[in-house]
Amino acid sequence: MNRFDVAIIGGGLAGCSAAFHLSKRGASVALLERGRCGAQASGVNFGGVRRQGRHPAELGIAQRSHALWKDLARLIGTDGEFRTTGHLKLARSPDEMADLEAYRETARTFDLELELLDTKSLRARYPYLGQAAQGGSFCPGDGQANPRIVAPAFSRAARALGATVLENTEVVHGRRDDGDFRLELASGQNIRARRLLNMAGAWGARIAAWFGDIVQEGVMAPNMCVTEPLPQFIGPALGVCGGDVYIRQVPQGSVIFGAGYGLADRDRVFARPLADVTAAGARLAVSIIPRLADALLVRTWTGIEGTMPDGIPVMGPSPSTEGLFHAFGFTGHGFQLGPAAGAVMAELALDGETPTEIGALAFTRFNRSSTATRTGC
Amino acid sequence: MVEARIVIIGAGPAGMKAALSLVEAGHRPVVIDEAQRSGGQVYRRPSPAAERSPRALYGFEAARAQRLHQGFDAIADFIDYYPETLIWNAEGRTLDLLYNGQNQRIAWSHLILATGAMDRIIPVSGWTLPGAYTLGAAQIALKAQAVGIGQSVVFFGTGPLLYLVAYQYAKAGITVKAVLDVSAFRQSVVALPQLLTGGRTFAKGLFFLAWLRARRIPVLRGITPVEIVAGTDQAVAGITIRTAGGKLRHFDCSGVGFGYGLRSETQIADLLELEFAFEHNHRQWLPVSDDNGRASTCGVYLAGDGAGILGADAAELTGRRAALVLRFDLGETELAAEIDTLSARLNAMRPFRHALDHVAFAFPERLARNVPDDVIICRCEGLRAANIRQMARDTEEIDLNRIKAFTRLGMGRCQGRVCVAAATAVLAGAATDMSSTGRYRCQAPVKPVPLRAFLGGCDEQV
């Protein structure tokens, strides 16, 4: 069989979750992944599962995802090592502390239970922090998980429900005629589907362009580092205002930190960490947690992530093509958002609408700006 | 950035010979090596506090070792030599080093990779006990520190190193309780015609065996290791094996050394993004090279056991050849004839090496694939064979990098250098093609680096 109710391009976390949610509702689904499910940004990211600090346009979907994360074990048979450790965002100056206070107001309607900590209470509660940290905002419901296992687990759960998961399967072109999408595979075969979900991450804009939806999508490769296992001491996932470093300690004891960007080559599907970025990241991590100076770095890694010019993903119907829906360019936010992004896309494909607020993520926000740019020239 | 240099990685026989050949032509190479002193594993020199005579250290190879060491010492003023320096990353045409506790970078114009090899192990119950070492580690203890791994020791596994280490230990006055070889005697008989082409090397092997037997040290062939047994102190107290005849036998000892041949260290080649191919002869992925040792990236040359196990004598030849080919590429075209002669000599050594490593002391494939479920494969992460097999079944995966992602296999301090050979065999299971498990990718750092190394602020040039 090569005709499906829905075809999904991209086996990242969001795409795998979409396949899962569609299969659960009985739709016939083909998930097409060029490499392996969860091998790029979904599988190699930091593993932070936080709502705190999210753009207001993302908070609706972040809240929905939060509920799914807590229910992961029941849904897909693994909890993905999700732990509600809380997320502590640190301020390194009075201005940044003011930003944290302002964010608490912005997010008030979303019930994140943010708790602001002054220098004294921060030191008392997290004595391992260095002098750089002057205050913080704690979100108790946020947490962390193991990115390497979540997307593959969603894809296996989808497969168990009947989804056709085709890995190592590259779609080289797609078009819509006679009301059907026709996807041409690198193997020469074709796949047909009534609806198409473009969830191709850093390659999403290229697929959108096949249908005349034009947007500039950037690319980044967050530079990730991990130490040898250390006795548990950190607790919450740590971030900073400005986001230039983030740190967490995994259940097995290793401390993961990310800072800066490695090399990302979208055309070769190749990414690697860079030594000078690793070195700068180590200095930042030690400035937050001085005792890390004596830890051993054992591994560095990265993966390719798509970025949008305004720093939030595209999600919603195609402006040009009926039955086509986009969700890509997650700009580093896709791990936490992924489970709900898949649920929302499944609803869009089957119902044409979703109860989750995604209006501010619509593709059309770029159509307007690109027209403006053209007029300006 | 300072001027790009000719850099040699490794100061074993291949790296030392390469340095000599470059200095001959007036070049001033940079030689970077992890060890405190030159010599590599095979001609490792003791730390100054543990000096012994070359004869005691290297036996038959004393003259050869002395010649190499003296040659290398003599060019000290004509090279830039960085001992105790870890190359933790390679990126484009630069190397990142851990030198004097600090992170540093060096640019290269030409690079000779002589990264050497390490033991290939097959886990057996008890292999993580204190007192259990690889054969290579047992040898390092003796050569570098003049200590043994126990007062009474058993060596097991297979390969020429098994007999050499046993001989060296016995010679040093340590009680060798037994030498237990998984290879059967008939394998040596089958390999005999090719082994005879090995001349001097083969004769040494026969000598070690005769020497051990003459001292009534039991040498058993065709055995299967069953368990390294712990004493009350949770350290090695003995080993139980099954003999070729199928009987269980136990040997008391306070240390065991084991290994199943060597595998090339290819992490830096991987970080350099060289092309690799699976070499069935060597049972591992190796950087590809042309007939004269040029790697797939222009300006990179492969030498020594890091490019496939050929042994110390061949390492000297490939080291010299790498330097000559480099000089040829810089314009000394008159070296062509000598390069051809070296390549011909190397090719002539291959049948012996093949007979040695793949017939007489063949890697015991079945033993590796059938490691019992309760045996630890990845000691850093505490993974047993059963965990790996279970994950492979649950996810229908045999790709090493996927299994790594799911189980943490190889994510600890060794970064897979110790465990991946065994994990590959366990994953391959019944599959006939070992390459079907994919290539385990190296990620920097090659070996652990303290974060403190990055705090210096400025990443100075070496």
Side-chain angles (χ1 to χ4, degrees), chain A residues 36-39 146 148-149 152 156 159 167 227-229 250 252 254 257 268 270 272-276 278-279 282-283 285-286 292-301, chain B residues 88-92 96 103 105 271-273 381 394-397 399 402 404-406 408 410-413 415 441 443-445 447-452 454-455 457 459:
Chain A
R36 305 300 307 273
C37 285
N146 180 347
R148 296 186 303 272
I149 60 178
R156 284 196 298 278
R159 190 174 282 179
E167 296 185 289
T227 71
E228 63 189 326
V250 306
Q252 152 274 9
S254 294
F257 60 92
R268 282 169 66 206
F270 177 83
R272 66 176 292 170
L274 295 172
D276 53 353
T278 296
R283 289 193 284 273
V286 171
L292 287 180
D294 294 315
L296 290 173
L297 174 74
V298 297
R299 189 170 60 260
T300 59
W301 71 92
Chain B
W88 67 271
N89 183 48
E91 213 169 271
D96 295 291
N103 179 43
R105 174 167 280 192
L271 290 170
L272 286 165
E273 299 172 39
E381 303 292 345
D394 289 353
T395 60
E396 297 173 23
E397 290 280 359
D399 182 282
R402 292 289 273 186
K404 170 186 180 181
F406 298 159
R408 307 193 56 87
M411 284 194 175
R413 291 179 184 86
Q415 285 299 297
R441 301 306 297 264
Q443 294 159 297
K447 289 179 184 171
V449 175
L451 294 191
R452 191 175 292 289
F454 302 111
L455 303 184
D459 298 340

Side-chain angles (χ1 to χ4, degrees), chain B residues 322-397:
Chain B
L324 295 184
V325 174
L326 191 164
R327 286 165 53 186
F328 176 93
D329 290 348
L330 285 174
E332 289 186 64
T333 50
E334 65 277 16
L335 295 173
E338 192 184 347
I339 292 168
D340 287 346
T341 308
L342 279 172
S343 290
R345 278 178 70 190
L346 280 159
N347 284 333
M349 295 168 88
R350 287 180 204 279
F352 169 73
R353 200 66 211 185
H354 184 267
L356 196 66
D357 290 341
H358 305 289
V359 186
F361 301 118
F363 184 78
E365 199 69 52
R366 236 177 8 168
L367 196 64
R369 293 184 189 218
N370 297 312
V371 171
D373 269 350
D374 61 344
V375 172
I376 285 179
I377 299 285
C378 168
R379 70 192 300 176
C380 296
E381 303 292 345
L383 284 172
R384 293 173 196 275
N387 301 126
I388 292 166
R389 292 190 177 110
Q390 183 69 45
M391 186 57 78
R393 271 196 300 274
D394 289 353
T395 60
E396 297 173 23
E397 290 280 359

